[in-house]
Amino acid sequence: MAEGGNGSAKPTVSPYDEAMDTLSSLITERTRAGKIQKGDPFDYMFDYLKMLDLEEPISKMSIIHVAGTKGKGSTCAFTESILRNCGFRTGLFTSPHLIDLRERFRLDGVDICEEKFLAYFWWCWDRLKERTGDDISMPTFFRFLTLLAFKIFAAEQVDVAILEVGLGGRLDSTNVVQAPIVCGISSLGYDHMEILGYTLGEIAGEKAGIFKQGVPAFTVPQPDEAMRMLEKKASQLDVHLKVALPLDVNLLNGLDLRLEGEHQYINAGLAVALCSTWIQRTGHIEANYLDETKQSSLPEKFIKGLTTATLQGRGQIVPDRFIDIESPGDLVFYLDGAHTPESIEVCAKWFCRAIKERNKQQNFSSNQPENFSASNKLAESYSCEIPRKNSTQILLFNCMSVRDPQSLLPCLFNTCANHGVHFKKALFVPNISVYNKVWSSALPPIDSQVDLSWQLTLQKLWENLNSSEKGGDAKKVDPICEEGEADKDRCVWSCENSSVFPSLPLAVKWLRDTIQQNKSTRFQVLVTGSLHLVGDVLRFVKK
């Protein structure tokens, strides 16, 4: 602690927290994923590259560029893991981060260390501060991070840089890359429509903005409207666009993808195509790539990459290790940052399948098949050996107010119900993370004055879904404050099937207390609707 001028102690700010505070100054207003603002044209990115002397390094950098609505992060994770296992030095730039900003910059599969991060951060910051001014202001938050990624990958001399588009493609800051080795477009759907367009064709056109003259590109099976636009854009640029088919599970030699969910085979197929093309075009080795029409074998190093790739917050299973009971497996969080109707449906199917597998395992002996998936093995290692506990499903949910809960919650509710899964209770909470501040891995302070009107709106929708399922009409929902009006910051607004908590810690405390009071019950908690919420939960249960 440092002494203040009046003798009072002031907390010492760590060098990393100082960098996070400095970075937060670039977040000037509530925008999503670096939305282009008036007076901040895309062409400024080329000016910033000149200021940082990065033009030549980027022109020589070997880059794989990936856009898409769903699965682009998973595709990039698979791609990085495959090429790293093939012996190449890899750099991976993804977004958003869930716990620590350094997750966005991975070198050889590991988050950049704090020492290197700070050195590169201040190098970029000081130079940009010195060279920007009235004509060209400092870059916005995401643009600065993109420039920092280029600096890191150039200085670290990676063999390949895998770049995930932040938003869209055409005007995304990563699109200053002029000559990637290969491009990929993952599954397309409706998201960020106020920015990218309200039809699949318009959205596809923005994503196809990463195509470059003569550079090969791959996509996955797409809706007709989206595919037509991708093909049109590819034709205009003489881009050889191919469709990568979902990976055949039989090619994994009995192993499972580390990233869970049937949809991951779509992303894995795209990653295999990207990696094989990159290897062939860079002339490193003869790639044993399977022709799309003759999928008969897969290189061993590809298999290892696919079955060891990791990405936090996507189909992730985390037992609560901090609950004071004999059986930590009695409270398990199933985390997936789905926030579009398509991804919510995929998430719901994954959750239903995952809990059924887990419940089956817990009702039998501990003899596991060798190919039982890694995260389920992790969860199982914490599981309770006492048979016949009641498995109860709980939903922990929030979404941004720019999302449409009328398309998200009914999709989640109905998909789970169709698979025989019914939530005993839905818990709605505000995110801890805030848009205008980047925190270190520690939990940010809780806002005791948070506005819960959005969470109460979500609760009303959920109650009406339950009422409709039971054959009743939508009814007026009047939540009751259980903790008393005098203690607003701890007031829990409850209805028959749901509760609104003023903070995530209070919701987790309720889960832990309830489990401790009901020894015959285990909770399986699906956390979804927002990657920010998923990150907050991971901070809380893994701290």
Side-chain angles (χ1 to χ4, degrees):
M1 304 283 281
E3 292 294 323
N6 59 1
S8 61
K10 290 184 179 180
T12 301
V13 177
S14 73
Y16 188 67
D17 283 333
E18 183 184 357
M20 294 302 99
D21 288 342
T22 302
L23 181 61
S24 296
S25 70
L26 297 181
I27 308 173
T28 56
E29 58 183 292
R30 190 165 192 165
T31 59
R32 296 168 63 192
K35 179 180 176 182
I36 306 304
Q37 299 299 306
K38 185 177 181 181
D40 183 26
F42 172 73
D43 287 347
Y44 277 9
M45 279 297 295
F46 296 98
D47 295 308
Y48 297 137
L49 292 179
K50 288 180 182 178
M51 295 176 190
L52 296 174
D53 298 323
L54 285 174
E55 291 174 298
E56 184 179 358
I58 288 180
S59 70
K60 294 179 178 178
M61 198 175 291
S62 187
I63 291 170
I64 296 175
H65 201 187
V66 182
T69 307
K70 309 182 298 293
K72 62 182 184 293
S74 297
T75 298
C76 288
F78 281 131
T79 301
E80 185 280 328
S81 185
I82 290 171
L83 293 177
R84 173 164 40 87
N85 277 280
C86 286
F88 300 107
R89 179 156 173 72
T90 60
L92 174 63
F93 177 56
T94 60
S95 61
H97 65 278
L98 296 186
I99 299 176
D100 192 302
L101 184 97
R102 292 179 295 116
E103 296 166 28
R104 296 175 182 245
F105 314 91
R106 305 193 90 188
L107 296 168
D108 291 327
V110 179
D111 299 349
I112 188 172
C113 69
E114 194 171 298
E115 181 182 6
K116 283 186 176 181
F117 173 85
L118 289 174
Y120 293 129
F121 175 87
W122 288 116
W123 188 93
C124 290
W125 181 270
D126 292 342
R127 186 160 292 208
L128 287 169
K129 266 295 185 184
E130 178 186 325
R131 301 183 180 187
T132 54
D134 293 337
D135 293 336
I136 300 179
S137 60
M138 283 288 284
T140 52
F141 175 74
F142 187 74
R143 289 184 173 182
F144 180 86
L145 295 182
T146 304
L147 295 163
L148 179 56
F150 287 134
K151 175 60 181 176
I152 291 170
F153 297 156
E156 293 293 322
Q157 298 181 312
V158 298
D159 295 319
V160 57
I162 300 104
L163 305 180
E164 178 192 0
V165 166
L167 190 157
R170 182 175 63 92
L171 296 177
D172 187 73
S173 57
T174 62
N175 206 31
V176 290
V177 173
Q178 298 300 294
I181 303 300
V182 61
C183 297
I185 306 285
S186 66
S187 299
L188 297 178
Y190 294 99
D191 195 17
H192 300 291
M193 292 179 290
E194 74 281 10
I195 302 169
L196 304 179
Y198 290 88
T199 69
L200 276 181
E202 289 175 318
I203 292 169
E206 289 295 313
K207 307 288 184 181
I210 69 169
F211 290 165
K212 300 297 184 296
Q213 185 78 36
V215 174
F218 288 86
T219 189
V220 299
Q222 303 280 9
D224 289 344
E225 182 183 356
M227 186 62 75
R228 284 195 299 270
M229 179 58 74
L230 293 180
E231 290 171 342
K232 176 184 176 182
K233 295 293 185 181
S235 176
Q236 291 171 352
L237 291 169
D238 191 29
V239 168
H240 187 198
L241 178 65
K242 290 177 119 180
V243 175
L245 297 179
L247 186 73
D248 183 345
V249 65
N250 296 315
L251 295 172
L252 295 177
N253 296 340
L255 300 174
D256 287 326
L257 294 175
R258 179 71 179 274
L259 299 178
E260 293 197 27
E262 292 179 5
H263 62 291
Q264 293 294 2
Y265 288 90
I266 297 174
N267 302 324
L270 178 56
V272 166
L274 294 173
C275 290
S276 184
T277 301
W278 181 86
I279 290 171
Q280 289 173 337
R281 294 199 78 212
T282 52
H284 284 289
I285 58 174
E286 280 295 319
N288 178 23
Y289 177 53
L290 34 147
D291 185 277
E292 298 98 290
T293 60
K294 298 179 181 178
Q295 293 192 358
S296 57
S297 65
L298 199 60
E300 199 63 38
K301 292 175 180 177
F302 277 46
I303 295 175
K304 186 176 180 182
L306 290 167
T307 56
T308 58
T310 60
L311 188 64
Q312 285 202 110
R314 281 78 163 180
Q316 186 176 5
I317 302 173
V318 179
D320 184 7
R321 300 175 179 86
F322 296 91
I323 186 170
D324 185 22
I325 56 175
E326 295 179 1
S327 309
D330 284 352
L331 177 55
V332 179
F333 293 92
Y334 294 74
L335 303 116
D336 193 283
H339 50 266
T340 68
E342 298 90 347
S343 58
I344 279 284
E345 181 178 2
V346 167
C347 165
K349 290 178 179 177
W350 161 73
F351 176 66
C352 294
R353 185 174 63 254
I355 63 172
K356 287 177 181 177
E357 285 181 7
R358 180 166 166 73
N359 292 341
K360 188 186 300 182
Q361 291 295 326
Q362 289 174 324
N363 286 330
F364 293 95
S365 69
S366 59
N367 294 328
Q368 307 294 344
E370 289 185 4
N371 66 340
F372 197 59
S373 63
S375 59
N376 271 322
K377 283 181 179 176
L378 173 64
E380 182 62 22
S381 68
Y382 290 92
S383 68
C384 177
E385 297 298 328
I386 302 173
R388 304 198 182 284
K389 283 203 170 190
N390 297 318
S391 293
T392 301
Q393 290 75 51
I394 305 290
L395 175 65
L396 182 56
F397 188 92
N398 192 36
C399 66
M400 294 174 65
S401 58
V402 292
R403 308 286 180 197
D404 178 15
Q406 294 279 0
S407 62
L408 298 180
L409 284 174
C411 179
L412 176 63
F413 184 96
N414 293 328
T415 302
C416 287
N418 290 340
H419 286 78
V421 173
H422 301 269
F423 293 98
K424 179 75 172 178
K425 196 90 169 174
L427 313 181
F428 299 99
V429 297
N431 293 343
I432 299 175
S433 303
V434 291
Y435 72 91
N436 59 353
K437 170 70 175 163
V438 185
W439 298 94
S440 62
S441 58
L443 273 170
I446 306 301
D447 181 4
S448 61
Q449 303 300 315
V450 65
D451 179 7
L452 296 176
S453 57
W454 177 247
Q455 285 69 38
L456 291 167
T457 297
L458 299 176
Q459 179 184 42
K460 181 181 294 187
L461 175 56
W462 186 260
E463 289 295 329
N464 285 334
L465 286 169
N466 277 275
S467 177
S468 298
E469 187 193 42
K470 295 170 184 175
D473 296 325
K475 56 185 179 182
K476 184 179 180 182
V477 177
D478 292 312
I480 299 173
C481 179
E482 292 186 341
E483 301 295 333
E485 292 291 330
D487 193 7
K488 284 285 186 184
D489 62 334
R490 296 186 64 83
C491 180
V492 179
W493 298 93
S494 290
C495 292
E496 181 181 355
N497 307 287
S498 61
S499 293
V500 170
F501 288 84
S503 72
L504 174 63
L506 283 177
V508 174
K509 182 180 185 301
W510 179 85
L511 289 167
R512 290 170 174 169
D513 290 348
T514 305
I515 281 295
Q516 289 172 322
Q517 295 163 11
N518 296 273
K519 303 297 185 183
S520 63
T521 299
R522 64 169 63 98
F523 278 169
Q524 296 166 323
V525 185
L526 175 61
V527 184
T528 191
S530 164
L531 275 168
H532 298 292
L533 174 63
V534 167
D536 291 341
V537 172
L538 283 171
R539 275 195 180 99
F540 199 75
V541 302
K542 295 180 78 174
K543 67 178 187 288

